[in-house]
C-alpha cells in the first residue's frame, strides 16, 4: 500500500471510488462530473488530497482544502469546460439535482476542511481510513495548519463512530444540501 498526492491521472479512479462509496451531491452528479472535479482539484494549491494504491490501483483517498470558503467555485473555475460542461449535461438529465445545488452553497469556514474520505469495500476494516486521516493531518500540519473540520450526515453512524474514535469533537449541527449533518473538528495535540 502506498500513499501519494492526488494527480490528474488519478481523477477517474478516485471519482469511481467516490461515487461507489459516498453519498451526496457529487455522487449524484455522476462519475463524469466527479472525474472533472478531481482532475481540476488536483491542480489547485489549496487542495490537500492523498490517494492510497495497492498493485498500482487506487483503493482509497482523502481530499480536503486549506481554504474551503469558495473551494467548489475555484475547482469549477480551474476547469470550467470540464466541470461546467459535465455538470450542465448531468443537470439536463436530472434537473432535480439543481435544487440540491441551490440548497447547498459554499462553506463559509476559513478552517481547513476534510471534504471526502473513501475506502474501497475490499479494503475496509484494515485501518486504511485511519491511515488516510493520519496522512491528511500530517500534510495539513506540514503546510502550517493545526486543525481541520469536516461534516458527516447525521444518519451515518459508521462515519460518526470512526471520527469520534479518532478523537474529533462534534462542534455543530447544521443542514447542508438539505440534509442534517454534524460538524466535527480535529486539533493537533
Amino acid at each position: 500500500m502506498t500513499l501519494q498526492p492526488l494527480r490528474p491521472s488519478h481523477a477517474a479512479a478516485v471519482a469511481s471510488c467516490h461515487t461507489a462509496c459516498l453519498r451526496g451531491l457529487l455522487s449524484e452528479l455522476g462519475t463524469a462530473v466527479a472525474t472533472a472535479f478531481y482532475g481540476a482539484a488536483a491542480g489547485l494549491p489549496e487542495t490537500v488530497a492523498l490517494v492510497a494504491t495497492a498493485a498500482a490501483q487506487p483503493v482509497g483517498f482523502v481530499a480536503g482544502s486549506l481554504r474551503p470558503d469558495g473551494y467548489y467555485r475555484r475547482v469549477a473555475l480551474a476547469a470550467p469546460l470540464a466541470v461546467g460542461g459535465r455538470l450542465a449535461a448531468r443537470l439536463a438529465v436530472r434537473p432535480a439535482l439543481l435544487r440540491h445545488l441551490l440548497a447547498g452553497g459554499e462553506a463559509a469556514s476559513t478552517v481547513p476542511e476534510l471534504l471526502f474520505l473513501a475506502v474501497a469495500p475490499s479494503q475496509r476494516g484494515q485501518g486504511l481510513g485511519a491511515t488516510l486521516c493520519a496522512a491528511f493531518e500530517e500534510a495539513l500540519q506540514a503546510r502550517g495548519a493545526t486543525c481541520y473540520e469536516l461534516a458527516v450526515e447525521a444518519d451515518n453512524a459508521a462515519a460518526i463512530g470512526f471520527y469520534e474514535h479518532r478523537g474529533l469533537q462534534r462542534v455543530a449541527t447544521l443542514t447542508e444540501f438539505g440534509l442534517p449533518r454534524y460538524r466535527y473538528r480535529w486539533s493537533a495535540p
Side-chain angles (χ1 to χ4, degrees):
M1 186 81 53
T2 61
L3 294 179
Q4 51 192 292
L6 174 68
R7 294 190 299 262
S9 61
H10 295 130
V14 167
S16 291
C17 184
H18 181 118
T19 58
C21 298
L22 300 175
R23 298 184 301 185
L25 183 61
L26 190 54
S27 292
E28 288 185 42
L29 290 170
T31 304
V33 174
T35 298
F37 174 87
Y38 285 111
L44 293 180
E46 67 263 34
T47 297
V48 179
L50 301 157
V51 179
T53 58
Q57 295 300 314
V59 293
F61 71 95
V62 62
S65 175
L66 290 167
R67 295 178 38 226
D69 55 318
Y71 181 70
Y72 294 111
R73 183 178 65 251
R74 289 191 301 279
V75 170
L77 290 174
L81 294 177
V83 176
R86 286 182 174 87
L87 178 60
R90 188 66 177 155
L91 290 174
V93 174
R94 291 195 59 201
L97 292 175
L98 183 59
R99 180 177 54 86
H100 293 293
L101 277 173
L102 296 174
E106 290 278 359
S109 176
T110 57
V111 174
E113 185 165 354
L114 189 159
L115 298 167
F116 305 111
L117 171 67
V119 174
S122 64
Q123 302 295 313
R124 292 184 186 161
Q126 301 176 40
L128 182 53
T131 298
L132 285 163
C133 277
F136 181 78
E137 292 158 3
E138 289 175 19
L140 285 176
Q141 289 179 73
R143 294 176 69 180
T146 59
C147 66
Y148 69 88
E149 292 184 355
L150 57 87
V152 176
E153 290 175 357
D155 67 350
N156 190 341
I160 290 166
F162 173 79
Y163 291 121
E164 289 181 355
H165 180 74
R166 289 196 48 74
L168 279 78
Q169 301 296 310
R170 188 181 306 177
V171 295
T173 301
L174 57 134
T175 300
E176 289 181 329
F177 299 109
L179 298 172
R181 297 181 187 252
Y182 298 132
R183 191 129 186 102
Y184 284 88
R185 178 177 266 232
W186 175 86
S187 296

